[in-house]
Amino acid sequence: MSFTGKYELQSQENFEPFMKALGLPDEQIQKGKDIKSISEIVQDGKKFKVTVTTGTKVLHNEFTIGEECEMEMLTGEKVKAIVQMEGNNKLVANLKGLKSVTELNGDTITNTLTLGDLTYKRISKRI
């Protein structure tokens, strides 16, 4: 199953408490909560390029399944991570205590971020 495509955010759960826990300033949280972000994924075998555009903020990460890479977090901090694939439709990464699971089902991508006992869920549809 290929992840390649553009996806628009449809809904999100726990955005504000999760961003607060990450340490984002309130002003940035208020600005970001109502913006429909667009995720663009290009998959070439085990190589991925992911670009998430939220308003004026663009987050760009590239990685190869199973290899250590540097990834930019929502806070702008760069961390080392290894992304693994489970089955043929799930990407799992651990970024400095933050677990990210991205699952593709048909035209829907569900991204679940977990930090301690706090979970933030984003659902995006292919456009």
Side-chain angles (χ1 to χ4, degrees):
M1 188 178 290
S2 177
F3 280 80
T4 298
K6 270 190 178 183
Y7 303 86
E8 183 179 30
L9 181 68
Q10 300 296 309
S11 65
Q12 52 188 1
E13 297 166 18
N14 270 346
F15 177 78
E16 289 184 62
F18 193 85
M19 295 305 150
K20 271 192 172 65
L22 279 182
L24 258 66
D26 282 344
E27 181 187 314
Q28 210 173 328
I29 293 170
Q30 291 309 315
K31 261 201 279 191
K33 72 175 182 176
D34 296 320
I35 297 174
K36 292 279 187 218
S37 69
I38 302 284
S39 302
E40 185 168 6
I41 301 172
V42 177
Q43 179 183 355
D44 179 11
K46 290 184 162 197
K47 291 186 180 186
F48 285 78
K49 289 181 186 175
V50 180
T51 307
V52 181
T53 307
T54 309
T56 57
K57 180 151 179 53
V58 179
L59 197 65
H60 182 76
N61 285 309
E62 289 186 33
F63 58 88
T64 301
I65 298 297
E67 293 180 17
E68 187 176 71
C69 63
E70 187 175 78
M71 298 190 83
E72 186 179 349
M73 295 185 51
L74 298 164
T75 55
E77 182 183 357
K78 295 208 187 306
V79 296
K80 296 252 183 258
I82 297 174
V83 181
Q84 301 290 355
M85 186 170 277
E86 290 181 7
N88 67 349
N89 70 329
K90 196 183 280 191
L91 301 172
V92 180
N94 286 296
L95 312 148
K96 206 181 146 194
L98 175 78
K99 183 177 184 185
S100 170
V101 178
T102 303
E103 190 170 357
L104 177 64
N105 286 309
D107 286 337
T108 303
I109 274 193
T110 304
N111 181 224
T112 308
L113 300 173
T114 309
L115 185 65
D117 58 358
L118 200 54
T119 300
Y120 166 48
K121 191 173 185 181
R122 297 166 47 94
I123 297 171
S124 301
K125 280 228 182 295
R126 197 184 294 260
I127 51 174

